[in-house]
Amino acid sequence: MALCYKRLALQAVLRQMSEGSVYTMRDVARLARVSVATVSAVVNEKKGVRPVLVKRVQDAMKALDYHPDHVARSLKVRRTTTIGVVIPDFASGFFMEVVRGVEDVARTAGYSVLLCNSNDDVSQEQRHLSVLFSRRVDGILLATTDPYSVARRQYRPNLPIVLFDRIPPGHQGPAVVVDNKSAAYEATKYLISLGHRQIAFIAGRLDLSTGMDRADGFRKAMEDAHLTVRADYLKHGDFKAASGYEAGLELLKLSDRPTAIFSSNSQMTVGLLKAMQELGSHCPEDVSVFGFDDLVPGTEGFSFGALLKPELTVIAQPGYQIGHQAAEMLLKLLAEPSDGKSQPDEGVVTLKAELCIRNSVAPPHSANS
Amino acid sequence: MALCYKRLALQAVLRQMSEGSVYTMRDVARLARVSVATVSAVVNEKKGVRPVLVKRVQDAMKALDYHPDHVARSLKVRRTTTIGVVIPDFASGFFMEVVRGVEDVARTAGYSVLLCNSNDDVSQEQRHLSVLFSRRVDGILLATTDPYSVARRQYRPNLPIVLFDRIPPGHQGPAVVVDNKSAAYEATKYLISLGHRQIAFIAGRLDLSTGMDRADGFRKAMEDAHLTVRADYLKHGDFKAASGYEAGLELLKLSDRPTAIFSSNSQMTVGLLKAMQELGSHCPEDVSVFGFDDLVPGTEGFSFGALLKPELTVIAQPGYQIGHQAAEMLLKLLAEPSDGKSQPDEGVVTLKAELCIRNSVAPPHSANS
DNA sequence: CTGAAAGCGCTTACAG
DNA sequence: CTGAAAGCGCTTACAG
């Protein structure tokens, strides 16, 4: 009898549905014979609802395969539980590692992530930020291509933005970066300690903190060792493989070739290695190569770097950690009352990069140390 | 005078704003002295609005730095211009290539992408699908970990789901896959043509179409050549590096070692190479290695594969193309009236994988062909 | 061509 | 403890 009644109620509700539509809280409420407020309370696991009603609501939800409309909820509560992540390059192993770190903490906290590709282009970055803003994301994780974008535009009061990888000069807001300067310094010092004097440097984009800091670290190490940097050993790349390739060709064709080359990022290192391959230069026999970033992050403890010919000596950045930390920082910012009062976690977190010595670097043949 | 009036109006609107809030269409309407309907028309570039009003509205929007609330719009129009993408592995170069292809077409079409990681776990996949549904994405791109998930549950009438990479047996709906069976067949045939008879195979997950099809292709090629597959040459992996490593160790320790090993995906190949490295086995001198997928996709025409020791002979899947095609298929589905009437583009699109011959495969030393 | 009003599906004070 | 009602910020018939 009761069962029969229930089935009839269900059918009544089912029948009222228009084709292609989806059940709403009202349908559930009707079927469970409660108010929508009660359904809402059950959905949001608020306590204080009579167990009988909870059961009835749950049954109704199941019967209708009800999925609460997160869009409507977002509009009402003015939070989307979504974060935007914009990175400059989808093909980069490093940035994908970062994204992996971000996703892990986001998912755990119940956030979804909207992933955007700026292609290292300022206007695309601006457009994406604008879209993310319109979509009312709760916060943004940004590897900015434009050192001034963030300062230039305050997107929304109380819209937290955590920068990572790159920061504008003098940036004070929340950010997670790697100590590029000292990493490059250590790398260069290592080359010098091995006896290298003729060290070439392939710089990345100097308008980005990463490119500039790495160049600074290199320069400082050379200075500290009282070595001069020859102009023709200094190549200006743009972080892409092609520029590393060009730089490599030029350096290797020099009559007075460098004994070691330090490349500012992995893409350019790939280009450099390709140039060497074409010209028949071997490494480290003919020239030592020091890279920044593994060409591709390892898998579950299996390093690709070790499978390369040669195994590349590099500065390894903790990509996953960067993403993880940045996401945690962002979520903490979101959890805060954000009355503008306490901002304990603002500030730049600097992670250490690791000197990863393998065997693409050897002492120069004519070691004069 | 007029200017003065405008400034006063702006200040009036500005003053009414509560802290930390954001301007709405009403604010813009008030400032521009029009109705919200007119503002909406201007925002959505509907024609028929008097140019004077358009100008006034645009000025007001600029003055307030107004960003239309996409959440509210989504609720009203019942479309989010968002697609969900769920992949099983964020660390996989192949899947990241796919995502790059997806993002390119999504961005161009004005869609945002919600990226989800199922970690190759059925229940996580289900949870993500449920979340995507609640978030009312317009469509889903899914590399399913559960061959039956899609059939088991019809998420929403008219919620298009395009599968990629893996499909349930007998699947008829929209999907983009690679012809794994014939690719594996060709690869095996190539090994045989070189004189290999003792060929080992490291299988992937056989509950997924990719794993099964590759195994089928291998098996068929062996059969067609009237070669038997020794049981101890058949290893059952799970697509992860560790399983390739284990399989590699076992195969290499066999007293009667295979002359060639065919590995079903890149992660397992990494594991295999690691095992070989540890045991001092060289390739192709000691044993030939044929891989499925490049270990990592190339960058801008610079192939990493060519930098490996040895350069790996593989089946290369067109990851970017898969993502691109799948996204286009999904968007086409979204554009259709979807009256349930015409479904011209339903169906499985099969892409060809490329046999990429480098030098990790050589004739066996004791060629008996 | 433009404005007033209803409503998308929720949540949340506010009464009872 | 539960229900009726207002409202989040838009869009869209519907009048004028």
Side-chain angles (χ1 to χ4, degrees):
Chain A
M1 175 69 178
L3 229 160
C4 186
Y5 170 74
K6 273 184 195 170
R7 190 169 305 154
L8 285 175
L10 176 58
Q11 287 176 356
V13 172
L14 288 174
R15 218 169 300 133
Q16 285 170 23
M17 290 304 300
S18 55
E19 295 254 347
S21 190
V22 104
Y23 294 101
T24 73
M25 217 168 234
R26 281 187 63 229
D27 300 313
V28 177
R30 192 152 43 203
L31 184 57
R33 287 163 288 140
V34 297
S35 72
V36 290
T38 303
V39 177
S40 175
V42 172
V43 166
N44 295 301
E45 290 171 319
K46 298 230 165 94
K47 53 189 177 235
V49 183
R50 237 187 318 157
V52 209
L53 294 196
V54 173
K55 176 88 170 71
R56 237 156 67 197
V57 169
Q58 283 171 343
D59 287 349
M61 293 201 296
K62 210 158 294 171
L64 299 180
D65 191 25
Y66 169 69
H67 288 249
D69 188 325
H70 191 270
V71 175
R73 167 170 233 283
S74 294
L75 176 60
K76 183 62 192 173
V77 304
R78 315 181 67 71
R79 290 181 349 106
T80 52
T81 24
T82 305
I83 62 176
V85 178
V86 7
I87 60 176
D89 186 3
F90 270 38
S92 149
F94 168 69
F95 283 114
M96 280 310 169
E97 273 298 286
V98 174
V99 171
R100 202 163 65 78
V102 170
E103 206 271 347
D104 274 358
V105 350
R107 178 163 31 86
T108 306
Y111 280 77
S112 292
V113 0
L114 235 25
L115 190 59
C116 307
N117 182 359
S118 73
N119 270 313
D120 248 327
D121 178 279
V122 177
S123 74
Q124 282 193 54
E125 173 177 311
Q126 280 296 335
R127 208 161 340 153
H128 273 126
L129 288 174
S130 180
V131 167
L132 291 176
F133 178 54
S134 260
R135 287 175 178 271
R136 299 299 189 258
V137 293
D138 295 337
I140 293 176
L141 255 29
L142 169 64
T144 186
T145 288
D146 175 2
Y148 305 102
S149 68
V150 184
R152 194 155 61 199
R153 207 178 167 102
Q154 171 66 335
Y155 269 92
R156 179 164 56 160
N158 299 328
L159 174 62
I161 300 186
V162 173
L163 302 187
F164 63 92
D165 186 55
R166 308 139 170 211
I167 51 174
H171 181 77
Q172 292 295 322
V176 179
V177 296
V178 145
D179 189 348
N180 286 293
K181 182 167 177 183
S182 75
Y185 184 89
E186 291 305 324
T188 309
K189 217 171 83 176
Y190 172 71
L191 286 171
I192 296 171
S193 76
L194 249 41
H196 288 282
R197 295 295 173 266
Q198 303 189 299
I199 307 176
F201 182 75
I202 306 180
R205 282 182 51 174
L206 297 178
D207 56 332
L208 300 178
S209 62
T210 45
M212 189 48 116
D213 289 351
R214 289 168 200 174
D216 278 347
F218 169 72
R219 199 152 29 212
K220 178 137 198 304
M222 293 296 275
E223 269 173 23
D224 285 1
H226 305 294
L227 294 173
T228 51
V229 182
R230 286 172 43 169
D232 53 355
Y233 282 2
L234 253 180
K235 293 299 171 187
H236 191 134
D238 64 359
F239 282 146
K240 309 218 165 165
S243 69
Y245 174 73
E246 292 303 333
L249 289 183
E250 289 170 20
L251 289 170
L252 295 169
K253 282 177 179 163
L254 248 33
S255 58
D256 192 11
R257 277 158 53 153
T259 57
I261 303 178
F262 183 11
S263 162
S264 291
N265 86 336
S266 66
Q267 321 254 43
M268 295 196 301
T269 306
V270 171
L272 169 61
L273 292 176
K274 168 104 168 207
M276 291 176 60
Q277 206 167 50
E278 278 187 20
L279 297 183
S281 278
H282 291 288
C283 155
E285 298 83 358
D286 301 320
V287 56
S288 287
V289 170
F290 202 118
F292 211 105
D293 270 340
D294 264 321
L295 296 205
V296 35
T299 320
E300 313 149 42
F302 290 84
S303 162
F304 285 89
L307 298 174
L308 280 174
K309 165 185 60 174
E311 303 170 30
L312 227 48
T313 294
V314 298
I315 297 288
Q317 292 191 88
Y320 182 86
Q321 285 306 324
I322 293 172
H324 202 277
Q325 279 252 24
E328 284 197 328
M329 191 180 281
L330 185 61
L331 293 187
K332 198 173 285 179
L333 248 26
L334 296 181
E336 276 173 19
S338 76
D339 300 335
K341 256 299 184 57
S342 60
Q343 297 174 325
D345 280 321
E346 296 250 341
V348 179
V349 169
T350 304
L351 266 35
K352 273 258 159 264
E354 195 185 348
L355 195 64
C356 198
I357 295 177
R358 293 196 277 250
N359 52 35
S360 64
V361 172
H365 284 165
S366 53
N368 51 355
S369 69
Chain B
M1 176 71 179
L3 231 160
C4 185
Y5 171 75
K6 273 184 194 169
R7 189 170 303 154
L8 285 175
L10 176 58
Q11 286 177 357
V13 172
L14 288 173
R15 217 170 298 133
Q16 285 171 26
M17 292 301 302
S18 56
E19 295 255 347
S21 191
V22 104
Y23 294 101
T24 73
M25 215 167 239
R26 281 188 64 230
D27 300 313
V28 176
R30 192 154 40 204
L31 184 57
R33 286 162 289 140
V34 297
S35 73
V36 291
T38 304
V39 177
S40 175
V42 172
V43 166
N44 295 302
E45 291 171 320
K46 299 229 165 97
K47 54 188 174 232
V49 183
R50 236 187 319 157
V52 209
L53 295 196
V54 172
K55 176 87 171 71
R56 235 154 70 195
V57 169
Q58 283 171 343
D59 287 350
M61 292 201 296
K62 211 157 294 168
L64 299 180
D65 190 25
Y66 169 69
H67 288 248
D69 188 324
H70 191 271
V71 175
R73 166 169 235 283
S74 295
L75 176 59
K76 182 62 191 175
V77 303
R78 315 183 66 71
R79 287 176 357 102
T80 53
T81 25
T82 306
I83 63 177
V85 178
V86 9
I87 60 175
D89 186 5
F90 270 38
S92 150
F94 168 70
F95 283 114
M96 280 310 168
E97 272 300 285
V98 175
V99 171
R100 200 163 65 78
V102 170
E103 205 271 347
D104 273 359
V105 352
R107 177 163 30 86
T108 305
Y111 280 76
S112 292
V113 358
L114 236 24
L115 189 59
C116 307
N117 182 0
S118 73
N119 270 313
D120 248 328
D121 178 278
V122 177
S123 75
Q124 282 193 52
E125 172 177 313
Q126 280 296 335
R127 209 163 335 152
H128 273 125
L129 288 174
S130 179
V131 166
L132 290 176
F133 178 54
S134 260
R135 287 174 178 271
R136 299 299 188 260
V137 293
D138 295 337
I140 292 177
L141 256 27
L142 170 64
T144 185
T145 289
D146 174 3
Y148 304 102
S149 68
V150 184
R152 193 154 62 200
R153 204 178 170 105
Q154 172 64 333
Y155 270 91
R156 177 162 58 156
N158 300 330
L159 174 62
I161 300 188
V162 174
L163 301 187
F164 64 92
D165 186 54
R166 307 138 169 212
I167 51 176
H171 180 78
Q172 290 296 322
V176 178
V177 296
V178 144
D179 190 348
N180 287 291
K181 181 167 176 182
S182 76
Y185 184 89
E186 292 305 324
T188 310
K189 219 172 81 177
Y190 173 71
L191 287 171
I192 295 171
S193 76
L194 249 40
H196 289 281
R197 294 296 173 265
Q198 303 189 302
I199 306 177
F201 183 75
I202 305 179
R205 283 181 51 175
L206 297 177
D207 57 331
L208 300 178
S209 62
T210 45
M212 188 49 116
D213 290 350
R214 289 168 200 176
D216 278 348
F218 170 73
R219 200 151 31 212
K220 179 136 197 308
M222 293 295 275
E223 269 174 23
D224 286 1
H226 307 293
L227 294 174
T228 52
V229 181
R230 287 173 43 171
D232 52 356
Y233 282 3
L234 252 180
K235 294 300 171 188
H236 190 135
D238 64 359
F239 281 146
K240 309 218 167 165
S243 71
Y245 175 73
E246 293 302 332
L249 289 183
E250 290 170 21
L251 289 170
L252 296 169
K253 283 176 179 163
L254 249 32
S255 57
D256 192 10
R257 276 159 51 153
T259 59
I261 303 178
F262 184 11
S263 163
S264 290
N265 85 337
S266 66
Q267 322 253 41
M268 295 196 301
T269 306
V270 171
L272 168 60
L273 292 177
K274 168 106 168 205
M276 291 176 59
Q277 205 168 50
E278 277 185 23
L279 298 183
S281 280
H282 291 286
C283 156
E285 297 83 0
D286 301 319
V287 57
S288 286
V289 169
F290 202 117
F292 211 105
D293 271 341
D294 265 321
L295 297 206
V296 34
T299 319
E300 313 149 41
F302 290 84
S303 162
F304 284 91
L307 299 174
L308 281 174
K309 163 187 63 177
E311 302 170 31
L312 227 46
T313 293
V314 298
I315 298 288
Q317 292 192 87
Y320 181 88
Q321 285 305 325
I322 294 173
H324 202 278
Q325 280 251 25
E328 282 196 331
M329 191 180 280
L330 184 62
L331 293 187
K332 199 172 285 179
L333 249 27
L334 296 181
E336 276 174 18
S338 77
D339 300 335
K341 256 297 185 60
S342 61
Q343 296 174 324
D345 281 320
E346 296 250 343
V348 179
V349 169
T350 304
L351 267 33
K352 274 259 161 263
E354 194 186 348
L355 196 64
C356 198
I357 295 177
R358 291 196 278 251
N359 54 34
S360 65
V361 172
H365 284 165
S366 54
N368 52 356
S369 69

